[in-house]
């Protein structure tokens, strides 16, 4: 019999500083994209509360549709949540 090889699992652990840096980078990238779209005369779409809004380069705002608000989950203490993996 062949000896079994043990593979070492790589575990990802995020820290608060890394997460905050990613959030800042994402906000900066979004602001740059909006500025570039306006400069090129393109419209962009985003969520505003429960509404999907399209804003043109000249500042005109069109409400495309409204999504119903989701109710919060009613979870009691001690509830076990099962998550499917992909």
């Amino acid at each position: 019999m062949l000896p079994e090889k043990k593979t070492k699992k790589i575990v990802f652990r995020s820290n608060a500083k890394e997460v905050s840096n990613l959030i800042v980078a994402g906000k900066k990238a979004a602001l740059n994209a909006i500025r570039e779209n306006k400069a090129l005369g393109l419209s962009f779409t985003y969520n505003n509360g429960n509404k999907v809004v399209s804003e043109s380069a000249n500042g005109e705002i069109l409400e495309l549709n409204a999504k119903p608000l989701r109710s919060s989950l009613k979870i009691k203490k001690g509830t076990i949540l099962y998550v499917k993996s992909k």
Side-chain angles (χ1 to χ4, degrees), residues 9-57:
K9 275 190 173 181
I10 298 173
V11 179
F12 175 75
R13 289 187 175 90
S14 65
N15 57 13
K17 185 176 181 181
E18 184 178 321
V19 171
S20 65
N21 287 341
L22 288 173
I23 290 171
V24 169
K27 286 181 181 181
K28 192 174 183 181
L31 290 174
N32 284 338
I34 290 170
R35 191 176 74 239
E36 289 173 3
N37 279 357
K38 285 183 179 179
L40 293 172
L42 302 173
S43 64
F44 54 96
T45 307
Y46 58 93
N47 289 340
N48 188 2
N50 66 335
K51 298 175 186 168
V52 178
V53 176
S54 178
E55 186 173 337
S56 63

